[in-house]
Amino acid sequence: DAKTTQPTSMDCAEGRAANLPCNHSTISGNEYVYWYRQIHSQGPQYIIHGLKNNETNEMASLIITEDRKSSTLILPHATLRDTAVYYCIVMDGTSYGKLTFGQGTILTVHP
Amino acid sequence: NAGVTQTPKFQVLKTGQSMTLQCAQDMNHEYMSWYRQDPGMGLRLIHYSVGAGITDQGEVPNGYNVSRSTTEDFPLRLLSAAPSQTSVYFCASRRGTFSETQYFGPGTRLLVL
C-alpha cells in the first residue's frame, strides 16, 4: 500500500473550516484514500473515503486532486469536539482492510 | 447493537504471564483485526481474520496468537508477556473486504511489569 505524508500538527479556530492535507504520491489506480480520526485514547473513528471523485458526508468533505497524488479533508465548521489525531490512509481492495496507520495530524480546535 | 466490545479495559501482568484479550462484535462482520498502539504512535496491525477459521499475520505478530472459531469472537492471546507488549490494544471489524467502514472497539490498556 502507498505511503502517506501528513503535517504533524495544525490549529483551527472554532467555527472555521479545518483543511487537513495529505500527500500520497505513490498511490496506485485501485487504491482508495481513507480518513479516520482518534479522539484522546478512544478507538479510531471512520470519517470518509474516496477513489477519484470528491466525496461529502455528514462529517466532512474529501477533495482528491486530479492526479490523485494528494487529498484534503475538510471539516466545514470545526468544533472543540473535533480536536483529535487525523489519519490519512491509502488502501487497495486486495489488502483485506489492513489499514496502515502513520503518525497522523494532531488537529487542535481553539475557542 | 453493541458494536465492537473488548474486555478487559485494563490489565496488569507480570513478565512471563499469559492472558487472552477478548473481542466480540454483533454486526455479523466477516473481517476482524487486532491493532496495538504505543504512546505517540499510530496503530500497528497484529493479526487479522477474513472469516471464521481463517487468520493471518499483520505487521507485528510475534508474541501473539489468534483464532477465529465463530464470526462474533476474535480473541488475542499473549503467550508469555514481555514489557515490550505494554500498549493499548484495539480490536476492529468490518463487513467485507473492500470499501467498507471499519469499526473499532474502545481498547484494552495492558501494562506488563
Side-chain angles (χ1 to χ4, degrees), chain A residues 6 20 35-47 59 73 81-89 101-108, chain B residues 6 35-44 88-91 104-109:
Chain A
Q6 299 177 251
L20 288 81
W35 283 85
Y36 280 76
R37 72 180 182 184
Q38 188 173 24
I39 299 173
H40 187 57
S41 301
Q42 297 178 18
Q45 176 189 24
Y46 166 84
I47 302 173
M59 290 183 65
L73 176 74
R81 288 174 292 183
D82 292 322
T83 292
V85 180
Y86 287 77
Y87 295 99
C88 169
I89 301 162
F101 287 79
Q103 298 279 12
T105 296
I106 301 171
L107 174 68
T108 303
Chain B
Q6 293 183 238
Y35 295 84
R36 61 176 288 174
Q37 186 173 33
D38 300 322
M41 304 272 294
L43 282 74
R44 291 184 293 170
V88 181
Y89 291 84
F90 290 101
C91 179
F104 285 81
T108 293
R109 299 180 185 281

Side-chain angles (χ1 to χ4, degrees), chain B residues 41-83:
Chain B
M41 304 272 294
L43 282 74
R44 291 184 293 170
L45 182 66
I46 305 172
H47 284 285
Y48 66 98
S49 169
V50 299
I54 306 170
T55 64
D56 205 347
Q57 297 181 350
E59 182 185 355
V60 288
N62 292 340
Y64 307 94
N65 273 357
V66 292
S67 60
R68 184 94 181 271
S69 56
T70 66
T71 299
E72 294 77 20
D73 300 299
F74 191 44
L76 178 71
R77 298 182 186 84
L78 278 68
L79 308 173
S80 177

